[in-house]
Amino acid sequence: MARILTGIQSTGTPHLGNILGAILPAIELSNTGSNESFLFIADMHSLTQIKNGVELRENTYSVAATWLAFGLDTSKTVFYRQSDVPECAELTWYLSCFFPYQRLTLAHSFKDKSDRLSDVNSGLFSYPMLMAADILLYDANFVPVGKDQLQHIEMTRDVASRINHLYGEELLVLPEPKIQEETQLIVGTDGEKMSKSRNNYINVFEDDKTLKNNINKKIITDATPLEDPKNPESSSVYELYKTVASPQRVLKMSQKLLAGGYGWGHAKKDLLDAIIAKFGDAREKYHYFMNHKNEIDEVLHQGAEKAKAVAQATLGRVREKMGY
Ligand code: ADP
Ligand code: TRP
């Protein structure tokens, strides 16, 4: 049985793009597969960007509540908070002492982030070592990630090989990346890729009124008069509708837009209704968990207990070799 492991940063409330592109496919994988899966909230990675403790804690709950609301089966998955297993920080240090500084300076994601962010701290620089520790601590075989994370997996394999080579044995398990190519790319309200940093996202957990206002205000449309025919592809209302409505309804919307007499305002209302219909149940559960954080704590605590047992065994092997 292979062990699959992946982490999700807790940098905000997951948006429609995160849910459709990452969360639902991963839930499908862990609920149905015969593999053993480890899924964690990378709240120590989030500290590279979020310094407000209240916000960081709330984000962690929000991410956990989303996974639970969409039906993650925690009896089949080891679901935990990264910071609940501080052994990870210890392994990060060991790995850092085996990985050339020069190689870290070549990380694309650091270059990309240091160009965009004002807070370029050294945690951001050594981020790949923390990620390598996340993976190596649990002897993971496969790591599902987006393409942007591929280099981090290569660094993980590199540092593990260096250590194995030095100590002359398979001390650490080399993980394989599992690139999620086929995941759907969800467009944002401006037609670009939906993303937190572009502020073009849709938060499906907002109350109906806020969600409606955001859909109306954020989605860009042209000024074609109501009675005129419209090109469905000219606004992301239609693109977004495709991700949440049935094919028959999508066809109907495109016919109505092409025929004229159906405005973008109508299309936005139909999009709102489709989101509420599709996510009604998950929205309710999300708010239930956000109002019962003790239940989230309980689930994450149980996950952390299981994770810790594996982490301590790995660290035991490593410490011994390193002379501690
Ligand atoms: P963001 O770009 O909003 O900060 P993240 O980089 O934290 O999102 O992404 C978390 C996960 O969600 C990743 O697996 C990523 O591939 C997926 N994801 C993010 N935005 C989209 C999108 N617009 N469409 C599909 N998947 C997405
Ligand atoms: N860096 C990953 C991202 O931004 C999140 C992450 C942290 C991760 N640790 C991990 C992913 C370990 C896979 C395995 O998406």
Side-chain angles (χ1 to χ4, degrees), residues 5-9 40 42 45 127 131 134-135 143-145 149 152:
L5 173 145
T6 198
I8 321 107
Q9 281 205 71
F40 66 95
H45 279 100
Y127 183 112
M131 182 158 162
D134 287 331
I135 298 169
V143 184
V145 281
Q149 298 295 315
H152 291 155

Side-chain angles (χ1 to χ4, degrees), residues 16 19-21 24 69-70 184 186 204-205 211 240-247 249 270-284:
L16 187 65
I19 293 168
L20 298 175
L24 292 180
F70 280 99
Q184 215 181 345
I186 310 298
V204 302
F205 300 124
L211 185 57
L240 286 165
Y241 193 64
K242 281 199 225 164
T243 66
V244 290
S246 68
R249 284 178 190 266
D270 285 341
L271 172 63
L272 172 71
D273 291 344
I275 291 177
I276 293 175
K278 184 174 170 82
F279 297 119
D281 183 44
R283 280 160 49 117
E284 218 170 89

Side-chain angles (χ1 to χ4, degrees), residues 23-230:
I23 297 176
L24 292 180
I27 289 182
E28 172 97 25
L29 192 74
S30 40
N31 283 0
T32 56
S34 59
N35 294 318
E36 194 182 9
S37 67
F38 280 58
L39 180 65
F40 66 95
I41 302 169
D43 60 342
M44 279 156 66
H45 279 100
S46 308
L47 187 61
T48 57
Q49 288 181 53
I50 300 175
K51 300 298 193 286
N52 178 325
V54 175
E55 187 188 339
L56 192 129
R57 187 176 294 117
E58 194 67 9
N59 284 343
T60 301
Y61 282 125
S62 174
V63 170
T66 306
W67 284 89
L68 296 172
F70 280 99
L72 179 76
D73 183 347
T74 52
S75 67
K76 289 190 177 156
T77 306
V78 180
F79 182 50
Y80 59 101
R81 232 190 230 116
Q82 184 186 31
S83 62
D84 281 342
V85 192
E87 283 82 352
C88 180
E90 183 180 336
L91 185 61
T92 302
W93 175 250
Y94 301 153
L95 301 180
S96 302
C97 295
F98 289 79
F99 199 66
Y101 161 82
Q102 192 55 38
R103 284 236 37 214
L104 270 185
T105 64
L106 303 175
H108 312 305
S109 103
F110 174 72
K111 279 190 202 148
D112 172 51
K113 285 184 181 156
S114 57
D115 286 345
R116 286 187 292 122
L117 303 175
S118 53
D119 175 15
V120 184
N121 53 71
S122 49
L124 203 60
F125 181 70
S126 50
Y127 183 112
M129 290 296 100
L130 180 58
M131 182 158 162
D134 287 331
I135 298 169
L136 299 173
L137 195 54
Y138 300 102
D139 294 335
N141 305 108
F142 295 102
V143 184
V145 281
K147 262 194 220 127
D148 60 320
Q149 298 295 315
L150 195 55
Q151 195 187 28
H152 291 155
I153 311 293
E154 281 161 7
M155 289 180 172
T156 304
R157 292 174 58 87
D158 185 350
V159 72
S161 318
R162 285 169 193 269
I163 291 174
N164 287 347
H165 182 71
L166 220 112
Y167 293 107
E169 64 174 88
E170 290 294 300
L171 196 55
L172 299 167
V173 174
L174 262 62
E176 301 277 349
K178 208 169 172 302
I179 294 295
Q180 299 156 315
E181 304 243 31
E182 68 294 353
T183 55
Q184 215 181 345
L185 184 94
I186 310 298
V187 294
T189 52
D190 56 358
E192 299 287 322
K193 178 187 170 199
M194 185 177 290
S195 163
K196 229 165 292 151
S197 55
R198 282 202 188 88
N199 195 22
N200 63 352
Y201 60 85
I202 290 185
N203 175 356
V204 302
F205 300 124
E206 281 166 342
D207 62 77
D208 293 2
K209 195 166 162 230
T210 314
L211 185 57
K212 179 176 172 200
N213 283 339
N214 273 329
I215 287 178
N216 284 336
K217 268 197 276 166
K218 278 172 125 179
I219 302 183
I220 301 169
T221 53
D222 59 27
T224 318
L226 176 79
E227 56 280 6
D228 288 8
K230 292 164 198 71

